Amino acid sequence: MTKPHGAKRKFTLLLLLLSPIGIRISLSRLHRYAHSIFFFFFFIATPKITLNSQMASIPLSSICPSAALSFQEKCKDKTKSSVLFGKEKQPLYMKTKSRGRITMAVAVNTSRFDNITMAPPDPILGVSEAFKADTSDMKLNLGVGAYRTEELQPYVLKVVKKAENLMLERGENKEYLPIEGLAAFNKATAELLFGADNPVLHQQRVATIQGLSGTGSLRVAAALIERYFPGAKVLISSPTWGNHKNIFNDARVPWSEYRYYDPKTVGLDFDGMIADIKAAPDGSFVLLHGCAHNPTGIDPTPEQWEKIADVIQEKNHIPFFDVAYQGFASGSLDEDASSVRLFAARGMELLVAQSYSKNLGLYAERVGAINVLCSSADAAVRVKSQLKRIARPMYSNPPVHGARIVANVVGNPDFFNEWKEEMEMMAGRIKSVRQKLYNNLSAKDKSGKDWSFILKQIGMFSFTGLNKAQSDNMTDKWHVYMTKDGRISLAGLSAAKCEYLADAIIDSYHNVS
């Protein structure tokens, strides 16, 4: 007996639906509902969703293969259309494949740099930023060590302008310098430091390369120490210029401090300094400020320099001078270089970093040098080759503009004499406000405190002896911006502001603990 026509049709349809092809045909009708199905399972029905720092994913194929394919195609079309219309956006969904399965992924906006924390502001340069934001008419910026006129304006030396005009007249080009820098500059700077007739120069025992001011020159020297004196420690004065420790830390050179400042006398702790240099491991590097110690303004006397040299020789240490203020401290180029020349005259090998930021006002030109005095000319040649090797991957070669200014000023007798006159003028102005500040402090402070240490200090800085809380009061109440260790830059002080500054110091010293 044959089956009824209707029953046969239903049986055939059932077989077709149970086949793989039939399933696909049936599910294809769900095409229009793919979005709804996806969001239902993703946000409501799915019991577990795995999330990590970059994406959350769920296999759509486990829900409906045809829906997954359709949804991916629609996302792809939408992404294409956004690019065509000039609106290239980050798609919310990304297609990924894993072992033949299609999954949907939701992108999360994250950065590979999320683990990098905010760096603290620079303790010195940050002072200038705070100063700029202050709207008080009485504000004073005594933080950054940069010379100012009596009107508290930046000063470009007249001799620098003349040297620059000479460069323009010559029509000099801007070609790359050699790695070691401008030859005329290197010759001039070594002669300025050691003295033109010094035997160490005639014997060619000094390796000199131009550096990126004092900071860059110190950094090259630190790399030389790390590479060829592994494990050697650098002794740094306590306190010292804030960037010294950063330089040696970044160069991976170990360092420790030697006593220098005595808060009881606001002077030099000479006995502590000598004891610490003696206690250091033989062959250590001793970082010394050639003149105008930063931040204290306290320098050893000539007799104390002799004793320091004795101890360093006894311990087979290597002196490492930072000379940032030659001629700018006392007004005399020779006097401010006397400490370096003393050690050189004893036949000692030593390092000297130089800067022309202060004495020529070339702050932004970043011109300086690193000098290594060796025991022989052969050693100097080899050391210079390695200094160049270190400089090459750091900055390739130094800038030419500032180097030409120095070479022109030092190499021209008329310019040289004019420069010395201007340095004496700048140093004289700082000495004048130093004296006036002392006079005001002595006249206004009735407590009997001895402020004479201000006159004993030298250079552009004065270490006031104020602690952090007192320094904060100077800024918060009196709008005087300074570093938190109590250092003030007298180069940023005018004679007209000396009385106001004296009032601020007296108030902070006596009324803030």
Side-chain angles (χ1 to χ4, degrees):
M1 179 181 291
T2 60
K3 294 181 180 180
H5 181 71
K8 182 178 180 180
R9 181 182 298 174
K10 292 180 179 179
F11 180 74
T12 303
L13 181 59
L14 179 60
L15 291 176
L16 180 62
L17 289 173
L18 291 175
S19 68
I21 296 175
I23 292 173
R24 291 189 181 184
I25 293 172
S26 301
L27 291 177
S28 67
R29 295 184 179 182
L30 299 176
H31 175 90
R32 71 188 65 182
Y33 305 113
H35 292 76
S36 300
I37 293 172
F38 172 77
F39 282 106
F40 174 81
F41 278 92
F42 189 88
F43 293 107
I44 301 173
T46 306
K48 290 185 178 180
I49 297 176
T50 302
L51 292 171
N52 57 33
S53 62
Q54 296 191 11
M55 65 177 64
S57 63
I58 179 173
L60 189 59
S61 58
S62 63
I63 304 170
C64 176
S66 62
L69 288 169
S70 173
F71 186 77
Q72 293 293 342
E73 290 171 358
K74 286 192 175 184
C75 288
K76 185 176 181 181
D77 291 339
K78 288 183 179 180
T79 302
K80 285 183 177 179
S81 65
S82 67
V83 174
L84 288 173
F85 282 94
K87 297 178 180 179
E88 190 168 356
K89 300 177 180 179
Q90 176 68 30
L92 178 62
Y93 307 101
M94 298 184 295
K95 181 170 77 174
T96 61
K97 291 184 178 182
S98 177
R99 297 182 181 178
R101 302 175 66 193
I102 300 174
T103 64
M104 296 305 301
V106 178
V108 179
N109 289 328
T110 60
S111 170
R112 299 289 182 90
F113 306 104
D114 278 348
N115 291 331
I116 296 180
T117 60
M118 180 65 71
D122 185 271
I124 298 176
L125 300 182
V127 173
S128 292
E129 296 301 317
F131 172 79
K132 291 177 183 178
D134 194 330
T135 58
S136 172
D137 293 335
M138 299 303 295
K139 66 180 182 179
L140 268 176
N141 186 1
L142 306 182
V144 178
Y147 181 80
R148 296 290 182 263
T149 65
E150 178 62 27
E151 294 72 36
L152 301 182
Q153 296 301 312
Y155 178 68
V156 179
L157 276 69
K158 295 175 183 178
V159 72
V160 167
K161 294 179 180 179
K162 290 182 179 180
E164 288 181 314
N165 288 333
L166 181 61
M167 291 160 57
L168 291 174
E169 291 172 6
R170 291 174 178 172
E172 293 172 316
N173 60 47
K174 302 295 184 181
E175 290 293 306
Y176 289 125
L177 287 178
I179 300 173
E180 66 266 32
L182 187 69
F185 166 80
N186 290 341
K187 180 177 183 296
T189 195
E191 289 179 351
L192 199 69
L193 179 65
F194 294 101
D197 57 351
N198 196 311
V200 300
L201 298 179
H202 297 304
Q203 296 163 7
Q204 299 182 338
R205 293 198 286 121
V206 180
T208 302
I209 72 165
Q210 182 184 338
L212 303 183
S213 197
T215 301
S217 301
L218 287 162
R219 183 62 178 80
V220 169
L224 183 75
I225 293 172
E226 190 275 336
R227 187 171 297 183
Y228 294 102
F229 300 85
K233 181 179 291 188
V234 175
L235 304 182
I236 301 173
S237 68
S238 177
T240 191
W241 176 49
N243 218 17
H244 279 149
K245 296 176 183 179
N246 296 333
I247 290 168
F248 292 109
N249 283 338
D250 278 11
R252 295 182 175 86
V253 174
W255 55 268
S256 64
E257 295 181 312
Y258 60 84
R259 283 167 284 178
Y260 193 87
Y261 172 71
D262 184 356
K264 295 179 181 178
T265 64
V266 196
L268 178 64
D269 183 359
F270 183 68
D271 291 338
M273 178 183 183
I274 293 298
D276 290 343
I277 294 175
K278 283 184 176 181
D282 289 7
S284 297
F285 288 80
V286 183
L287 186 64
L288 303 163
H289 298 229
C291 63
H293 182 273
N294 181 0
T296 67
I298 303 165
D299 285 356
T301 64
E303 294 75 22
Q304 288 172 330
W305 275 120
E306 292 279 2
K307 180 63 175 177
I308 293 167
D310 289 340
V311 175
I312 288 177
Q313 279 189 302
E314 291 170 7
K315 292 289 296 183
N316 198 31
H317 294 329
I318 302 175
F320 184 176
F321 284 92
D322 184 357
V323 177
Y325 308 100
Q326 185 181 355
F328 194 74
S330 68
S332 167
L333 289 164
D334 292 329
E335 183 176 342
D336 291 346
S338 60
S339 59
V340 175
R341 296 176 187 180
L342 166 67
F343 282 67
R346 288 184 170 220
M348 302 173 70
E349 292 185 305
L350 51 88
L351 290 76
V352 187
Q354 291 172 279
S355 168
Y356 288 91
S357 293
K358 307 300 190 297
N359 55 14
L360 264 171
L362 299 177
Y363 305 99
E365 300 296 348
R366 311 312 296 147
V367 57
I370 179 64
N371 306 266
V372 182
L373 173 56
C374 306
S375 60
S376 67
D378 177 67
V381 170
R382 287 183 278 108
V383 168
K384 185 173 182 178
S385 73
Q386 292 300 334
L387 291 173
K388 291 165 59 178
R389 185 182 180 186
I390 290 169
R392 173 60 170 160
M394 276 190 183
Y395 53 85
S396 192
N397 48 21
V400 69
H401 191 81
R404 281 180 177 154
I405 292 174
V406 175
N408 287 339
V409 170
V410 178
N412 182 311
D414 292 335
F415 285 178
F416 186 66
N417 289 330
E418 187 173 341
W419 177 37
K420 289 193 291 184
E421 290 177 1
E422 286 197 83
M423 271 192 297
E424 290 176 3
M425 179 273 295
M426 292 189 293
R429 197 191 83 76
I430 294 175
K431 290 177 182 177
S432 174
V433 295
R434 184 185 289 277
Q435 180 69 55
K436 191 163 186 177
L437 175 62
Y438 165 75
N439 293 342
N440 277 279
L441 286 168
S442 299
K444 287 173 168 289
D445 186 7
K446 306 303 181 181
S447 68
K449 177 176 172 56
D450 182 9
W451 295 97
S452 63
F453 63 85
I454 290 178
L455 297 180
K456 296 175 184 176
Q457 297 167 355
I458 189 172
M460 67 193 310
F461 298 115
S462 176
F463 216 52
T464 62
L466 299 179
N467 59 33
K468 183 181 182 302
Q470 293 164 341
S471 299
D472 286 339
N473 185 69
M474 294 280 288
T475 301
D476 298 339
K477 179 178 178 179
W478 294 88
H479 305 277
V480 175
Y481 291 83
M482 54 192 290
T483 55
K484 301 307 179 184
D485 57 3
R487 188 196 79 172
I488 59 174
S489 173
L490 295 176
L493 177 65
S494 64
K497 292 281 190 178
C498 284
E499 183 176 358
Y500 178 77
L501 179 59
D503 289 336
I505 292 175
I506 292 170
D507 172 65
S508 301
Y509 180 79
H510 290 294
N511 299 324
V512 179
S513 58

